[in-house]
Amino acid sequence: MTVLAMASRDAPKAAVEPPAASLRGVTRHYRFPGGGKTLHALGPIDLDLRQGEFFSVVGPSGCGKSTLLDVLAGLNPPSEGTASFEGKPIAGVPDGIGVVFQEDASFPWLTVEANVAFGLKRAGIGQAEIERRVDYAVGFMGLRDFRQSYPAQLSGGMRQRVCIARTLVLQPRLILLDEPFGALDQQTRLIMGDELLRLWRETRATVLLITHSLDEAAMLADRVGVMSARPGLFIDVIETGWSKDRDSRIVADPRFGEMTGRIWEKLRAETMKHMQTQGAGPR
Amino acid sequence: MASKAMASNTVASKTLPSQTLPGGALRNIVPPIVLALVLILCWQGLHLATASGAISSPAATLARLVVLMGSSRFWLDVAETGTAFLWALALSIVLGIGLGVVLAWLRPVGEVMEPILVTFYSLPKVTLYPLVLLIFGLGMPAKVAFGIMHGLVPITLLTRNAISQLKPVYLRTAKVMRLSAFEAVRSVVLPAIIPELVAGIRIGFSLSLLGVLIGEMFASKRGLGFTAVNAMGLGDLDTIMAIGLFLALFAVLANGGLLSLERAIRHRSAGR
């Protein structure tokens, strides 16, 4: 199958380029309110995101995946260690990072068009350029017929497209996605996955996708980071070796099954560990 | 009077969806008219049942209202009350929303202030009126202040509550878009809570009006509240009832307008 050409030839070159973002010894502790007890949620984590790669993170629920994303997005500082984006330490949300959340974050009081233009208006970009970029993003995400609609009139999948388009127009160099298709059905997820791949190829942005779906991680990513139960650590990082022009049809390839099998093997023990720590008794 | 206003609201809300059905216009008009007739009949019944003259009849009240509305003194009173009321309402809205945003933003301050505001609000504010008079003197500023004392707290609490119930992802989105705190409030927080704000304003509206009228009753030489309390002293029940009817009609109309505005906004952004 042509879709499954061998590992991308760019890979060795990417390795010598400076990383898009990197984490060094990053941990995150939460303090319980009103007590000295702390929860060790994450790390220590070392991670280099290569320039322009598609990196997926899978792990059992509650393993700190979203905490990891918050650190990269500058929404929460690490408790220890350093996080940097394009060589500069992350303090506050850096310019050039776009985030798509799991929950529907479209603004119900704005039309689709106004939602997409939201960030651009506040960035002080000229009207003609705003129109050009919104036009492009709305067309790219298949929202052209819904420009004047309100989110309440759209399905969950369409609303998530609005959120992706709203991020896309800002032309981020690093896109962080926190289980963006978590609330969608399986077929819609596959289609949205294809669109995400198309977007990634077109924008050449670096993408970090957090997901709890093995299939999604295996199908979309160049590398899959498998995380342990809390405190979240990378127990393995698997190179998928898919070609850059892959799409959702690889789910039919035997090597796709092998890949998800490998990831699940790593994850199975962790997931069981997580279930045990959660306690089996009813509450 | 209050129960009358509430009853007509319920009817309006039940008839709204029928607008799209054939004969919808008829269905929309008939229930309020039936309700009004029933209320007038009850009123007449009460007039007949109570001791002579305790409750003026609908006909006598209406006749008195027509006479009142023909006098220039009445319209001076309306202008006086109206001015105080508009100031009280406008200031209650601006200060209430501002204070609500601050209390929601500074969460610990909000948590300390909320019970204090609720306690203050449960005091009969008339007992504080001498204080208001000492500070503002007799006249318009005292009435406005008294209106604000009634209207401010509900708007503040409803605003704070609406913001604290806001989906956290909206604020995270604002952060990711690198908006300043001011920008986030202006372009995310306030638009997100507009339906709740309109509901708060609707409640603040009735209470500011109440505050201004009470203010006029206790220390004023002009305004509808003063005229009503004056008529009370003279035992002029027709005038009291006529002023009550005038205020009730005004309140029902304004409330209905705000209610349909609230519903239009909610309808548009439904499914949040």
Side-chain angles (χ1 to χ4, degrees), chain B residues 238-263:
Chain B
D238 288 356
T239 300
I240 296 173
M241 293 288 284
I243 290 172
L245 181 66
F246 179 81
L247 288 171
L249 290 176
F250 169 67
V252 166
L253 281 178
N255 195 43
L258 282 168
L259 199 65
S260 51
L261 176 67
E262 187 185 331
R263 229 180 257 128

Side-chain angles (χ1 to χ4, degrees), chain B residues 18-84:
Chain B
S18 65
Q19 270 173 349
T20 49
L21 299 172
L26 203 64
R27 261 178 248 198
N28 268 336
I29 291 170
V30 169
I33 290 177
V34 170
L35 180 76
L37 285 175
V38 169
L39 285 172
I40 290 169
L41 278 176
C42 291
W43 183 357
Q44 182 69 32
L46 270 175
H47 165 67
L48 295 173
T50 49
S52 58
I55 292 174
S56 305
S57 72
T61 305
L62 201 62
R64 182 70 195 135
L65 184 57
V66 169
V67 172
L68 273 180
M69 285 171 77
S71 76
S72 58
R73 169 70 212 228
F74 178 76
W75 292 109
L76 281 176
D77 283 341
V78 170
E80 175 79 12
T81 305
T83 311

Side-chain angles (χ1 to χ4, degrees), chain B:
Chain B
M1 294 302 170
S3 66
K4 213 189 278 182
M6 261 158 68
S8 71
N9 285 344
T10 356
V11 170
S13 69
K14 273 182 195 152
T15 52
L16 192 77
S18 65
Q19 270 173 349
T20 49
L21 299 172
L26 203 64
R27 261 178 248 198
N28 268 336
I29 291 170
V30 169
I33 290 177
V34 170
L35 180 76
L37 285 175
V38 169
L39 285 172
I40 290 169
L41 278 176
C42 291
W43 183 357
Q44 182 69 32
L46 270 175
H47 165 67
L48 295 173
T50 49
S52 58
I55 292 174
S56 305
S57 72
T61 305
L62 201 62
R64 182 70 195 135
L65 184 57
V66 169
V67 172
L68 273 180
M69 285 171 77
S71 76
S72 58
R73 169 70 212 228
F74 178 76
W75 292 109
L76 281 176
D77 283 341
V78 170
E80 175 79 12
T81 305
T83 311
F85 165 62
L86 285 179
W87 272 109
L89 179 63
L91 288 170
S92 292
I93 290 171
V94 172
L95 296 174
I97 291 174
L99 202 58
V101 169
V102 170
L103 292 185
W105 207 264
L106 308 172
R107 193 177 294 216
V109 180
E111 273 164 20
V112 171
M113 285 302 290
E114 207 215 355
I116 296 176
L117 284 174
V118 171
T119 310
F120 163 75
Y121 205 65
S122 63
L123 285 177
K125 278 154 288 292
V126 173
T127 53
L128 299 176
Y129 203 42
L131 277 174
V132 176
L133 287 178
L134 280 175
I135 297 169
F136 293 99
L138 214 61
M140 183 65 84
K143 287 196 246 179
V144 173
F146 207 57
I148 293 172
M149 280 167 71
H150 284 80
L152 177 73
V153 175
I155 296 180
T156 303
L157 293 180
L158 282 167
T159 305
R160 172 179 176 258
N161 201 37
I163 295 176
S164 57
Q165 311 239 312
L166 205 62
K167 273 168 63 176
V169 77
Y170 291 159
L171 293 178
R172 280 162 69 83
T173 303
K175 258 190 182 173
V176 162
M177 299 256 177
R178 292 151 51 90
L179 302 188
S180 64
F182 174 77
E183 267 290 301
V185 169
R186 196 181 69 89
S187 58
V188 178
V189 174
L190 290 182
I193 61 164
I194 276 182
E196 287 84 357
L197 284 186
V198 177
I201 288 169
R202 201 158 60 80
I203 293 166
F205 177 95
S206 321
L207 293 166
S208 310
L209 181 59
L210 179 78
V212 167
L213 287 169
I214 296 176
E216 285 180 340
M217 287 180 169
F218 284 89
S220 185
K221 288 278 162 241
R222 274 185 292 179
L224 291 174
F226 165 74
T227 306
V229 97
N230 206 26
M232 225 161 86
L234 297 170
D236 181 358
L237 289 165
D238 288 356
T239 300
I240 296 173
M241 293 288 284
I243 290 172
L245 181 66
F246 179 81
L247 288 171
L249 290 176
F250 169 67
V252 166
L253 281 178
N255 195 43
L258 282 168
L259 199 65
S260 51
L261 176 67
E262 187 185 331
R263 229 180 257 128
I265 293 167
R266 273 191 205 280
H267 181 68
R268 200 185 69 182
S269 60
R272 269 202 285 173

Side-chain angles (χ1 to χ4, degrees), chain A residues 1 5-6 9 12 16 29 43 46 61 79 99 105 115 120 123 131 155 157 165 167 177 196 235 240-241 248 266:
Chain A
M1 266 206 181
M6 285 312 289
R9 263 174 275 118
V16 292
H29 301 266
D46 291 302
S61 46
S79 306
V99 185
N115 258 292
L120 291 175
E131 271 168 36
S155 68
T167 304
L177 302 112
L196 193 55
I235 47 175
T240 58
S248 58
K266 299 279 178 193

